[in-house]
Amino acid sequence: MSILGISQTIKEARKRLGLSQRQLSEGICSITALCNIENDKYGVSPSTFEALMSKMGIHCKVYPTFENQNDYECFKHIEDATSYLRYCKLDLVYQELENLQSKSYNHNYHYYQKWLYLYSHLMIIDKRYDTDIILDCLKKGFLLSQSSFDLEKLDPVSYNYSETNLLLFYAFFILDRQEDYSLCQNILDQLESHCSHDQTTSFLYAFIQCYYFYKTEQFDEAYEYAKQLQLKSLSDGNYTFIIFSLYIKGLSLLQKKHLKEAKTYINASVDTSIIYSPLLTDALIRHINSIAPDLELKLSLDVPDVKIPNLLSLDFPNNLKDGYFNIYSKNVIGLGDIILHRRTAQKISQIKLCQGLCSKSALSKIEQGKSKASILVSMGLLERLGLSSREFCFYGSQQETAFYKIVLTLISHYRFHLDKQKYTSYIDDLIAIADNDPLMLQYCYLFKTQLTTNKSEIINLCKKALNITIPNFELINIPQYRFSNVEMNFINVLVNAIAFSDNFSDAPYYFQLIYQYATDNNIELLWKKNYLAVALAKYVRFLGEKEMYSVLLARYKQWDFSCCYFYLDVLLDIYYYLSKAYHSIGDFDNALKYKSILTSIAIILNNVHALEHIQTDLDFDKT
């Protein structure tokens, strides 16, 4: 089993849809280039691959061969910027896009198109540009891969998602300029059915449609559309659109003179934005002051000083190409090159990296490009090197594809607390597909831990699973290893089970080892937010329930909790116990401050149960 070749992936998808090479390549690359790609003579950049696949209605990414190191780094900047945007970390989005621009987009117009629509998100809140300049850039970016720009007669079926997003932002900035609302609505009408095929694009479409209703004073429609956008964003965990949707709900109610409810929503959206993005906070406060200067917001946290980043150049780049290249070039970067480069830079031995995943000789062949690994081995190696592999979706054998599809379904079912019987049925299907493959069975054990509350059973399942890849594993040896995501999940589940069992005395030390592992190794932030954030939240809960409030407050001041800010539900737990901790030492100002921000987060999350719990369990107002 190995990662499916790019050529085979494209060719099979094209033939399945009955498309000719001419039809697929139009606007992306030449027919000759596509022919060479499908015959495995040419490589293709990730962005070009995605453009080809999205034109066929398949939204996906693959970990292909990169033209050179610069190509790989540009790809990473785009993927990281996209992740940070999802979590409303706009300052980090600026940094990634600035880095991408400094690398000249690897002279790849697909990378430039993605940079342009990602930067457009930031220009929504940054009003320093002239709108005419923005519209001109969006038009030029679109025309890099399309022959015409006729807004009255669009052909969305022939567009990839980057092109569609550029058109959507064009509609937004026309709308924001308060000119020709009908043209904006015409663009939205023509793109509506096409946008539903891609989740990211569908969020953008819903936001602009919602904003259109507000700008055209259809406040009932704006409120209802914003409400649906909020629920949709919550289910997907897209914090940028959660904050935007709640803010528009508040603005719509404000225009309808429902002052009290409007202030609640606007206050909650601004309050939450303080946690995530000072840039967005500044923009929201400036906007609300311009339209309702007498509206008094009662914010839970102090508004931080904002360092406005330098404007990025909107000059049209030169020498852009379409991203295909000779796959046999000596500068080509493959998966093995990335693993080798990261491993040697971190001074990790092959044995330490590959333990339990593959043999040392197999890793040597992978690093030399002489063989391809299975999906789970590839992901495990990348994750043990501190890379978040979630930005890379792999194509593998039929077994691997079916397996990973159920894994994603199980993650979704657990997240939304669907019925236990259906969850168990999916695990049975997963075990059947695994067919005794040890790395697949390891995932099966992970999901099984969610089916019991018996701490001894959970602890035994975790130890059994960890021993598949790390024989004789002991928690005290955490700093000696490098872990994949699934291994780190087991460690979190294991330590949490110990912490809330009768034998919890060693739990604080184990939590400290997890924190030490994440801080001592070369672990990127997007990895930490997935696994360290969970561990820190469980540690805070442990200290809170044991009423070890002095330790809790000391740890919160000493340790870096920034990775936890990616998750609102994690912050709910942390701020709840912080509020109780401050109240226990008589610091009522801080106790009320964290209670107040908890309330705003619960409103953002539409969590009625949490709101009731906050009001009853943190009844400090009378103290």
Side-chain angles (χ1 to χ4, degrees):
M1 296 185 300
S2 63
I3 298 171
L4 192 64
I6 300 164
S7 58
Q8 187 180 352
T9 301
I10 295 170
K11 185 187 295 184
E12 288 182 0
R14 179 179 62 78
K15 289 185 173 180
R16 215 167 32 240
L17 293 171
L19 294 176
S20 68
Q21 289 181 330
R22 180 183 297 277
Q23 288 171 314
L24 178 57
S25 62
E26 187 176 4
I28 299 175
C29 62
S30 68
I31 299 175
T32 303
L34 179 57
C35 181
N36 284 326
I37 290 167
E38 290 189 348
N39 291 330
D40 211 21
K41 293 181 179 179
Y42 279 5
V44 58
S45 71
S47 57
T48 306
F49 172 81
E50 187 177 2
L52 288 166
M53 297 300 284
S54 67
K55 190 171 182 177
M56 294 186 283
I58 306 169
H59 184 70
C60 58
K61 300 180 182 70
V62 73
Y63 209 121
T65 304
F66 296 90
E67 182 181 13
N68 47 40
Q69 185 65 28
N70 197 59
D71 186 24
Y72 167 67
E73 291 174 1
C74 286
F75 171 74
K76 275 290 291 175
H77 290 316
I78 288 172
E79 294 304 310
D80 289 351
T82 302
S83 294
Y84 291 140
L85 181 63
R86 178 190 185 89
Y87 293 98
C88 205
K89 305 296 287 185
L90 303 187
D91 307 69
L92 296 176
V93 177
Y94 261 108
Q95 291 176 24
E96 296 297 336
L97 295 184
E98 185 176 26
N99 289 333
L100 179 61
Q101 190 173 65
S102 71
K103 292 179 170 59
S104 302
Y105 322 100
N106 201 44
H107 302 292
N108 184 332
Y109 75 70
H110 295 288
Y111 286 149
Y112 172 69
Q113 285 179 326
K114 285 197 169 190
W115 176 90
L116 190 55
Y117 82 70
L118 286 168
Y119 194 34
S120 294
H121 280 275
L122 301 180
M123 289 189 285
I124 286 176
I125 66 169
D126 190 339
K127 303 297 184 182
R128 289 178 288 172
Y129 284 111
D130 182 275
T131 305
D132 287 331
I133 295 175
I134 297 174
L135 292 172
D136 184 58
C137 282
L138 292 169
K139 179 180 178 179
K140 286 180 178 177
F142 181 82
L143 287 172
L144 281 169
S145 49
Q146 290 292 329
S147 58
S148 65
F149 189 76
D150 185 353
L151 297 178
E152 298 294 338
K153 191 176 180 180
L154 300 176
D155 182 21
V157 176
S158 69
Y159 303 153
N160 62 50
Y161 294 119
S162 292
E163 295 161 349
T164 303
N165 287 334
L166 293 179
L167 287 173
L168 287 174
F169 274 114
Y170 197 93
F172 174 86
F173 287 111
I174 289 173
L175 177 64
D176 201 43
R177 192 168 59 178
Q178 301 183 21
E179 292 180 12
D180 205 350
Y181 291 158
S182 61
L183 179 57
C184 171
Q185 187 59 63
N186 181 53
I187 296 173
L188 293 175
D189 289 343
Q190 292 184 80
L191 296 177
E192 182 177 8
S193 60
H194 184 63
C195 291
S196 62
H197 300 308
D198 172 58
Q199 195 167 40
T200 302
T201 304
S202 68
F203 279 115
L204 179 58
Y205 178 91
F207 165 66
I208 296 172
Q209 181 67 74
C210 178
Y211 190 54
Y212 170 83
F213 284 135
Y214 174 75
K215 293 287 283 187
T216 55
E217 300 184 0
Q218 301 176 68
F219 300 123
D220 287 333
E221 291 83 352
Y223 177 85
E224 288 301 322
Y225 220 89
K227 182 178 178 181
Q228 293 304 313
L229 177 59
Q230 180 191 4
L231 295 175
K232 184 178 179 180
S233 303
L234 283 170
S235 68
D236 188 60
N238 194 316
Y239 293 168
T240 295
F241 285 115
I242 292 174
I243 294 172
F244 282 167
S245 61
L246 205 73
Y247 186 69
I248 293 178
K249 280 174 69 174
L251 292 182
S252 302
L253 290 169
L254 185 65
Q255 297 298 334
K256 293 177 65 179
K257 310 301 182 186
H258 297 168
L259 187 60
K260 183 177 180 181
E261 195 176 0
K263 285 181 66 174
T264 298
Y265 288 139
I266 293 171
N267 198 95
S269 60
V270 177
D271 235 348
T272 309
S273 73
I274 294 174
I275 300 171
Y276 286 95
S277 173
L279 293 170
L280 180 57
T281 304
D282 181 66
L284 293 180
I285 290 176
R286 282 189 285 108
H287 181 262
I288 199 64
N289 285 340
S290 68
I291 64 171
D294 297 328
L295 189 71
E296 295 181 2
L297 297 179
K298 187 179 179 183
L299 299 176
S300 308
L301 300 174
D302 294 332
V303 179
D305 293 331
V306 180
K307 182 181 178 181
I308 304 296
N310 295 327
L311 285 171
L312 301 182
S313 172
L314 287 180
D315 293 340
F316 194 72
N318 297 317
N319 303 319
L320 293 173
K321 56 188 181 182
D322 55 15
Y324 67 88
F325 49 88
N326 187 338
I327 199 168
Y328 303 111
S329 167
K330 65 180 180 180
N331 294 322
V332 163
I333 302 294
L335 179 63
D337 297 289
I338 293 167
I339 291 171
L340 176 62
H341 180 266
R342 293 278 297 192
R343 182 181 64 77
T344 53
Q346 296 177 35
K347 299 179 180 179
I348 302 172
S349 70
Q350 286 183 323
I351 292 176
K352 184 174 183 178
L353 177 62
C354 71
Q355 182 182 23
L357 294 176
C358 63
S359 66
K360 180 183 175 183
S361 61
L363 177 57
S364 294
K365 290 179 180 178
I366 293 167
E367 291 184 342
Q368 294 168 29
K370 293 180 178 179
S371 69
K372 293 181 179 180
S374 70
I375 292 176
L376 295 181
V377 170
S378 302
M379 292 173 65
L381 292 171
L382 290 168
E383 291 159 2
R384 285 184 175 183
L385 290 167
L387 284 168
S388 170
S389 72
R390 286 176 180 254
E391 65 259 33
F392 307 119
C393 296
F394 293 90
Y395 284 80
S397 66
Q398 188 175 359
Q399 178 195 20
E400 290 172 315
T401 302
F403 181 85
Y404 201 62
K405 184 177 180 181
I406 295 179
V407 167
L408 294 177
T409 303
L410 281 165
I411 292 171
S412 175
H413 275 234
Y414 174 65
R415 180 178 175 187
F416 297 112
H417 308 289
L418 298 186
D419 64 277
K420 185 176 180 179
Q421 184 177 355
K422 183 173 284 188
Y423 190 86
T424 304
S425 174
Y426 277 122
I427 293 177
D428 291 339
D429 293 341
L430 202 65
I431 292 172
I433 293 172
D435 191 28
N436 293 319
D437 180 287
L439 296 183
M440 289 187 176
L441 286 174
Q442 196 174 49
Y443 271 87
C444 298
Y445 290 137
L446 180 61
F447 293 114
K448 276 190 170 184
T449 63
Q450 309 302 324
L451 294 175
T452 178
T453 57
N454 184 294
K455 297 297 185 288
S456 295
E457 288 182 22
I458 293 173
I459 290 169
N460 289 333
L461 270 173
C462 290
K463 289 182 176 179
K464 183 177 180 180
L466 284 165
N467 272 282
I468 290 175
T469 48
I470 311 175
N472 305 313
F473 172 77
E474 296 289 342
L475 282 169
I476 58 172
N477 295 325
I478 284 176
Q480 298 177 19
Y481 297 102
R482 298 305 294 262
F483 300 110
S484 68
N485 290 353
V486 69
E487 290 164 342
M488 201 69 238
N489 259 318
F490 276 115
I491 290 169
N492 277 338
V493 173
L494 176 57
V495 172
N496 186 59
I498 293 171
F500 295 97
S501 68
D502 294 333
N503 302 312
F504 61 83
S505 58
D506 290 331
Y509 178 60
Y510 296 148
F511 280 118
Q512 187 168 341
L513 288 179
I514 293 173
Y515 182 80
Q516 180 184 337
Y517 172 83
T519 53
D520 287 354
N521 293 302
N522 188 15
I523 306 296
E524 65 175 19
L525 180 59
L526 292 172
W527 187 98
K528 289 182 182 178
K529 66 112 177 140
N530 285 326
Y531 302 100
L532 181 58
V534 174
L536 290 176
K538 298 298 185 184
Y539 184 38
V540 167
R541 180 187 165 208
F542 167 77
L543 295 174
E545 292 199 4
K546 301 301 180 186
E547 298 187 358
M548 299 166 66
Y549 293 129
S550 59
V551 178
L552 193 164
L553 293 173
R555 283 286 182 260
Y556 192 71
K557 292 174 182 177
Q558 294 165 356
W559 287 4
D560 181 5
F561 277 73
S562 60
C563 64
C564 299
Y565 297 167
F566 282 88
Y567 296 111
L568 285 168
D569 49 354
V570 166
L571 288 179
L572 271 180
D573 283 342
I574 292 174
Y575 288 168
Y576 170 79
Y577 289 109
L578 279 175
S579 183
K580 295 192 77 170
Y582 278 116
H583 184 260
S584 73
I585 63 171
D587 187 342
F588 302 117
D589 287 341
N590 272 317
L592 288 171
K593 178 179 76 173
Y594 283 106
K595 176 185 174 181
S596 180
I597 190 64
L598 269 174
T599 303
S600 290
I601 293 174
I603 291 170
I604 280 277
L605 292 175
N606 200 33
N607 192 328
V608 177
H609 175 74
L611 280 170
E612 293 173 351
H613 188 59
I614 291 165
Q615 295 307 318
T616 56
D617 204 35
L618 302 179
D619 190 15
F620 304 149
D621 298 335
K622 299 175 184 178
T623 306

